[in-house]
Amino acid sequence: VEAGDAETAYERVEPLHPADIADLIELTPAEQRPDLVESIGSLIDGEVLSEMNDWVRDELIDALDPRQLAGMAAELDTDDAVAIIEDMEEADQQAVLNALSPDDRAAIVEALSYPEESAGRLMQRELIAVPEHWTVGDVLDYLRGSDELSSDFWEIFVVDPGHRPVGTCQLSWILRTPRIVSMTDVMKREQTLIPVDMDQEEVALRFQKYALISAAVVDSGGRLVGQVTVDDIVHIISEEAGEDILRLSGAGEGDINEPVRLAVRTRLSWLIVNMGTAIIAASVVGLFQSEIAAFALLAVLMPIVSGMGGNAGTQTLAVVVRALATNQITDSNTWWMVLRELRIAAANGTALGAVAGIGSYLIYGNGPLSIVFAAAMVINNLAAGLGGVVVPITLDRLRIDPAVSSAVFVTTLTDVMGFFSFLGLAALSGVAG
Amino acid sequence: VEAGDAETAYERVEPLHPADIADLIELTPAEQRPDLVESIGSLIDGEVLSEMNDWVRDELIDALDPRQLAGMAAELDTDDAVAIIEDMEEADQQAVLNALSPDDRAAIVEALSYPEESAGRLMQRELIAVPEHWTVGDVLDYLRGSDELSSDFWEIFVVDPGHRPVGTCQLSWILRTPRIVSMTDVMKREQTLIPVDMDQEEVALRFQKYALISAAVVDSGGRLVGQVTVDDIVHIISEEAGEDILRLSGAGEGDINEPVRLAVRTRLSWLIVNMGTAIIAASVVGLFQSEIAAFALLAVLMPIVSGMGGNAGTQTLAVVVRALATNQITDSNTWWMVLRELRIAAANGTALGAVAGIGSYLIYGNGPLSIVFAAAMVINNLAAGLGGVVVPITLDRLRIDPAVSSAVFVTTLTDVMGFFSFLGLAALSGVAG
């Protein structure tokens, strides 16, 4: 697209939606980005920045002047401005904040005072709150009368004199109600209030569960301080659900725009941990070197036992990690869940053990070997099922993210149990000669 | 909760949100569900059903009368009613449809005529569409005047005489505009139109990208036939993103309420496929039995080489599957992506190879063995990186879901390459004696 001259590029990009401009910049190879950015210059506004991938944005921010950035941030709702500013380095952050108007600065500084990934960072301060005694007509006059209000709201919050929310009102209800009706008769009293320090993942689960479009954020005194809208939640749900798959494999953030250097660092540290566990598993094999030397077929079959356990363990793990992420596992059904996975593991283990035993007997005609092979398969499947459910639930209780650390425990378990049960039974039974 | 008598249960459940009632039923052990359902009977309405997990709902639906179900379905918007009815068996479906009013029946039959997981199934027919020549005042009078309109809308669609959408208008804009202004001056002309046969995953990506709250669904003639709202999209995003992790591990739907029998069937068929590939990898080991018998240490180190390749391959795979799911990989950056992953693999492979080589030399003091071990580690990491990116992209081009089938190819590749490179180099170099 941007191979030609700058003017053509500008004309082609101009009619695009900010999200599309952000995509275009992301999909442009890193070397060509500066040229593209220069030619479409003024089209890159705050909206484009807030739609952009973190890595690409950082690159772009470094190239921009703090004053320009402040101008962009001022156009945005607080939540989007915070999302851009929170990732910047301290010095850049200060420069941008200084260039903002005092009001905008205060709002952003306050948002930055809440913990990362909390509702306080996520919320926008712009919202419509009206007192309880107003009628629908009062609200209409208020909305039409003041120019300074945001136009980006989906619900109106009704508050008491202490600015505590007492109800919410969808705009469609207001539109369908005569002017004289009191707001307290239109609003819905049951509402989901979001504490300002709630974790964003929890906020997303509430939105999902109650099909919310927007929700009031309250401080520790129950006062309305902001609102969270569903468009921000959509991003979080997609990120959080996608993160689990990346964490489970130790791929870190796993973003394709992450610099290679950082990707190597994250992945390598995970691989080193896994190498440690692989050595533990290998040392189990080391105990049985004389049996293997006497009967090398053991070395052929042993990776099948450990590998199948690993696969079964990963299946259980995926199910349990997903169920934990969606709050489907509670104290009341933990044991039921453990029992469920053990039943599945017993059924699968028996089936695989039978296939393995019969298959190996047909090929090698060695009865005792086949029995040992089948028994090890059953044992390792049970270990996989038990580990796959107990490990993530335990980590979750200890407040450690089960998606990050479960896999390494479970595969170590299935490798060790696979090698130990197969080689150990072989040694005991004298198959190894 | 439901251990006591039925009346207490009813009183406790009554004030709950439908989503909470659905959760309560799901979290109740299967044996106790019938009792709970009986005691809270009439509280289970269409809303509760539509919030419920598929498996639990099916169980409940079997226990209910078609006439009761029809009553519940009639209360719901078409999208929610369709979601309940589409999963039912043919005969039950017919019974419920027959019990519905002709209007509701026609709407649901039409929705069922669209492919599963398409926008047509997802959309609700209830929406507000107004002609271009209306003013804001006309819209307000219309909304206040007719009782039959749905109250559940967030935007108003402006249509031409052929019922083709020409713009959308947020309710907040209408509220902030004087009555005499024409709708065409308030509405936004750029809008995201959803074709009725678009896949729901694609619809979800549009909502995410453009931060939509609702969008018009149009038929092949461009006529407005329904709307999709973001609350349904939130569920889809969460499901689709969560599905990848389950598919990658072969855990099927992976729902904890799926009957054990079905979970066993899905997982076992995946494990059998993996057993086939494990046998292929083991047969590579089989080629080198005499080397292993002569030097059993090879059997100790070989699972480290294959396992590390598997881990590295899974990392790359997770990153690529996520990037494909979010449309971040296009024709223009495929080669860049392959190159990127190869660079990461080369860096990680070199680092791991060095650790493996030096570590094994310190322990066993066997120079040639350590060189073979290190070299095999590098080779297998490169194979993992290449396989991890080429396999899912190729499957995606062939329109096969990369999340489902990539893992089995990649781990087979890393097992085979791990065993072959390590044992082969050992045999060639004469390390095996």
Side-chain angles (χ1 to χ4, degrees):
Chain A
V1 181
E2 73 301 343
D5 55 319
E7 225 165 292
T8 334
Y10 189 95
E11 277 167 28
R12 288 212 188 152
V13 173
E14 219 231 309
L16 295 179
H17 187 281
D20 289 314
I21 301 182
D23 269 8
L24 178 67
I25 297 175
E26 280 170 29
L27 289 176
T28 303
E31 314 82 66
Q32 297 170 32
R33 265 180 218 148
D35 288 347
L36 174 65
V37 168
E38 200 185 324
S39 53
I40 63 172
S42 62
L43 295 177
I44 302 176
D45 58 9
E47 296 270 349
V48 174
L49 272 192
S50 73
E51 294 287 345
M52 206 174 284
N53 177 289
D54 292 356
W55 298 106
V56 182
R57 184 164 66 206
D58 283 355
E59 204 186 277
L60 203 61
I61 282 177
D62 287 340
L64 290 171
D65 181 67
R67 209 171 297 266
Q68 276 179 286
L69 281 171
M72 291 179 182
E75 299 161 21
L76 296 171
D77 283 336
T78 28
D79 56 335
D80 295 325
V82 167
I84 293 179
I85 294 176
E86 68 181 353
D87 290 333
M88 295 171 61
E89 282 162 38
E90 193 80 33
D92 294 342
Q93 221 175 57
Q94 212 46 56
V96 173
L97 286 175
N98 289 338
L100 279 173
S101 76
D103 276 4
D104 288 338
R105 189 190 314 148
I108 288 174
V109 168
E110 199 203 315
L112 289 174
S113 73
Y114 298 115
E116 269 189 64
E117 311 217 319
S118 70
R121 292 276 179 118
L122 201 63
M123 73 185 183
Q124 58 190 67
R125 238 144 279 266
E126 298 80 5
L127 55 79
I128 310 292
V130 301
E132 291 173 274
H133 62 265
W134 279 19
T135 64
V136 168
D138 293 334
V139 173
L140 288 175
D141 295 340
Y142 168 67
L143 291 176
R144 288 195 193 134
S146 51
D147 284 339
E148 288 179 17
L149 299 174
S150 155
S151 275
D152 218 15
F153 57 95
W154 306 97
E155 287 175 304
I156 288 178
F157 302 101
V158 182
V159 292
D160 70 11
H163 213 67
R164 285 178 290 264
V166 293
T168 46
C169 186
Q170 288 189 16
L171 300 188
S172 60
W173 303 341
I174 294 181
L175 285 170
R176 306 211 46 211
T177 309
R179 289 181 65 95
I180 50 157
V181 177
S182 159
M183 280 301 283
T184 47
D185 293 332
V186 193
M187 72 185 193
K188 193 175 63 169
R189 283 180 192 276
E190 308 83 52
Q191 51 178 343
T192 309
L193 298 178
I194 309 284
V196 76
D197 54 0
M198 184 182 261
D199 184 77
Q200 63 175 20
E201 197 166 352
E202 191 58 36
V203 177
L205 285 171
R206 297 275 171 102
F207 266 75
Q208 213 175 325
K209 182 166 180 184
Y210 300 118
L212 304 177
I213 299 296
S214 58
V217 179
V218 291
D219 65 14
S220 54
R223 282 177 300 271
L224 180 64
V225 290
Q227 67 168 333
V228 175
T229 53
V230 72
D231 51 319
D232 296 316
I233 294 300
V234 162
H235 285 283
I236 289 168
I237 292 176
S238 156
E239 273 173 32
E240 297 274 353
E243 271 174 10
D244 282 349
I245 194 174
L246 296 165
R247 287 181 184 155
L248 209 49
S249 68
E253 288 193 46
D255 191 286
I256 66 167
N257 286 300
E258 187 180 23
V260 168
R261 192 172 35 82
L262 291 178
V264 168
R265 198 189 298 165
T266 324
R267 293 200 211 169
L268 189 58
S269 52
W270 180 253
L271 290 173
I272 297 276
V273 171
N274 275 279
M275 190 146 173
T277 66
I279 290 169
I280 295 172
S283 67
V284 173
V285 180
L287 300 175
F288 299 97
Q289 283 187 65
S290 60
E291 282 81 4
I292 291 173
F295 193 31
L297 191 54
L298 295 179
V300 177
L301 299 181
M302 99 196 164
I304 303 184
V305 178
S306 64
M308 293 311 294
N311 287 326
T314 307
Q315 290 183 334
T316 306
L317 203 51
V319 171
V320 175
V321 165
R322 260 325 273 167
L324 285 169
T326 50
N327 280 353
Q328 283 188 286
I329 297 185
T330 60
D331 287 340
S332 68
N333 67 357
T334 300
W335 284 111
W336 170 81
M337 189 69 199
V338 172
L339 211 70
R340 174 181 192 269
E341 289 302 322
L342 275 179
R343 283 166 63 199
I344 296 177
N348 285 345
T350 311
L352 292 174
V355 172
I358 295 170
S360 64
Y361 186 74
L362 292 177
I363 298 173
Y364 305 111
N366 183 334
L369 176 72
S370 297
I371 292 173
V372 165
F373 190 34
M377 197 74 100
V378 175
I379 293 171
N380 205 22
N381 258 282
L382 287 172
L386 192 62
V389 63
V390 170
V391 168
I393 292 182
T394 307
L395 290 173
D396 189 59
R397 295 278 152 88
L398 299 173
R399 300 189 175 281
I400 300 171
D401 184 346
V404 177
S405 18
S406 293
V408 65
F409 285 106
V410 173
T411 52
T412 306
L413 176 75
T414 54
D415 278 353
V416 168
M417 278 302 291
F419 295 143
F420 194 78
S421 60
F422 179 61
L423 297 175
L425 287 176
L428 273 182
S429 68
V431 179
Chain B
V1 180
E2 73 300 346
D5 55 319
E7 225 164 292
T8 334
Y10 188 95
E11 275 168 30
R12 288 211 188 155
V13 173
E14 219 229 310
L16 294 179
H17 188 280
D20 290 316
I21 302 182
D23 269 8
L24 178 69
I25 297 176
E26 280 170 28
L27 290 176
T28 304
E31 314 82 68
Q32 298 170 31
R33 266 181 218 146
D35 288 347
L36 174 65
V37 168
E38 199 182 327
S39 53
I40 62 173
S42 61
L43 294 177
I44 301 175
D45 59 9
E47 296 271 348
V48 174
L49 271 192
S50 73
E51 295 287 345
M52 208 175 283
N53 176 288
D54 291 357
W55 297 106
V56 182
R57 185 164 66 206
D58 283 356
E59 202 186 281
L60 203 62
I61 283 178
D62 287 342
L64 291 172
D65 181 65
R67 208 171 299 266
Q68 276 178 287
L69 281 171
M72 292 179 182
E75 299 161 22
L76 295 170
D77 284 335
T78 28
D79 57 333
D80 295 325
V82 167
I84 294 178
I85 294 177
E86 66 182 353
D87 290 334
M88 296 170 61
E89 280 161 41
E90 193 81 34
D92 295 341
Q93 223 176 56
Q94 213 47 57
V96 173
L97 287 175
N98 289 339
L100 280 173
S101 76
D103 276 3
D104 289 338
R105 190 190 312 149
I108 287 172
V109 167
E110 200 203 315
L112 289 174
S113 74
Y114 298 114
E116 269 189 65
E117 311 216 320
S118 70
R121 292 275 179 117
L122 202 62
M123 72 185 183
Q124 58 189 67
R125 238 145 280 267
E126 298 79 6
L127 55 81
I128 310 293
V130 301
E132 289 172 275
H133 62 265
W134 278 19
T135 63
V136 168
D138 292 333
V139 173
L140 288 175
D141 295 339
Y142 168 67
L143 291 176
R144 290 196 191 130
S146 51
D147 284 340
E148 288 181 17
L149 298 174
S150 154
S151 275
D152 217 15
F153 57 95
W154 307 96
E155 286 175 305
I156 288 179
F157 301 102
V158 182
V159 291
D160 70 10
H163 213 66
R164 284 178 291 263
V166 293
T168 46
C169 187
Q170 287 189 16
L171 300 187
S172 60
W173 303 341
I174 294 181
L175 284 170
R176 306 212 44 212
T177 309
R179 291 181 62 97
I180 50 155
V181 177
S182 159
M183 281 301 284
T184 47
D185 293 333
V186 194
M187 73 185 190
K188 192 176 65 168
R189 284 181 192 275
E190 308 82 54
Q191 53 178 342
T192 308
L193 298 177
I194 309 285
V196 75
D197 54 359
M198 184 182 260
D199 184 77
Q200 64 176 22
E201 198 166 352
E202 190 59 36
V203 178
L205 285 172
R206 298 276 171 103
F207 265 75
Q208 215 174 324
K209 182 165 180 185
Y210 300 118
L212 305 176
I213 299 294
S214 58
V217 179
V218 292
D219 64 15
S220 55
R223 280 176 301 270
L224 179 65
V225 290
Q227 67 168 332
V228 175
T229 51
V230 71
D231 52 319
D232 297 315
I233 295 299
V234 162
H235 285 284
I236 289 168
I237 292 175
S238 155
E239 274 174 29
E240 298 274 352
E243 272 174 9
D244 282 349
I245 194 175
L246 296 165
R247 287 181 185 155
L248 208 50
S249 67
E253 290 193 45
D255 191 286
I256 66 167
N257 288 299
E258 186 180 25
V260 168
R261 192 172 35 81
L262 290 178
V264 168
R265 198 189 301 164
T266 323
R267 294 199 209 168
L268 189 57
S269 52
W270 179 253
L271 290 174
I272 296 277
V273 171
N274 275 279
M275 190 145 175
T277 68
I279 290 169
I280 295 173
S283 66
V284 173
V285 180
L287 300 175
F288 299 96
Q289 284 187 64
S290 60
E291 282 80 5
I292 291 173
F295 193 33
L297 190 55
L298 295 180
V300 177
L301 299 182
M302 93 194 172
I304 303 184
V305 179
S306 64
M308 293 310 293
N311 287 327
T314 306
Q315 289 182 335
T316 306
L317 203 53
V319 171
V320 176
V321 164
R322 260 324 273 166
L324 285 170
T326 50
N327 280 354
Q328 283 188 283
I329 296 184
T330 60
D331 288 339
S332 68
N333 67 356
T334 299
W335 285 112
W336 170 82
M337 189 69 199
V338 172
L339 210 71
R340 173 180 192 272
E341 289 301 322
L342 276 179
R343 284 166 62 199
I344 297 176
N348 284 345
T350 310
L352 292 174
V355 172
I358 295 169
S360 63
Y361 186 75
L362 292 176
I363 298 172
Y364 305 112
N366 183 334
L369 175 72
S370 296
I371 294 174
V372 165
F373 190 33
M377 198 73 99
V378 176
I379 293 173
N380 205 24
N381 258 281
L382 287 172
L386 192 63
V389 62
V390 170
V391 168
I393 292 182
T394 308
L395 290 173
D396 190 58
R397 295 278 150 89
L398 299 173
R399 300 188 173 282
I400 299 170
D401 184 346
V404 177
S405 17
S406 294
V408 65
F409 284 106
V410 173
T411 51
T412 307
L413 176 74
T414 54
D415 278 354
V416 167
M417 278 301 291
F419 295 144
F420 194 77
S421 60
F422 180 60
L423 298 175
L425 286 175
L428 272 181
S429 67
V431 179

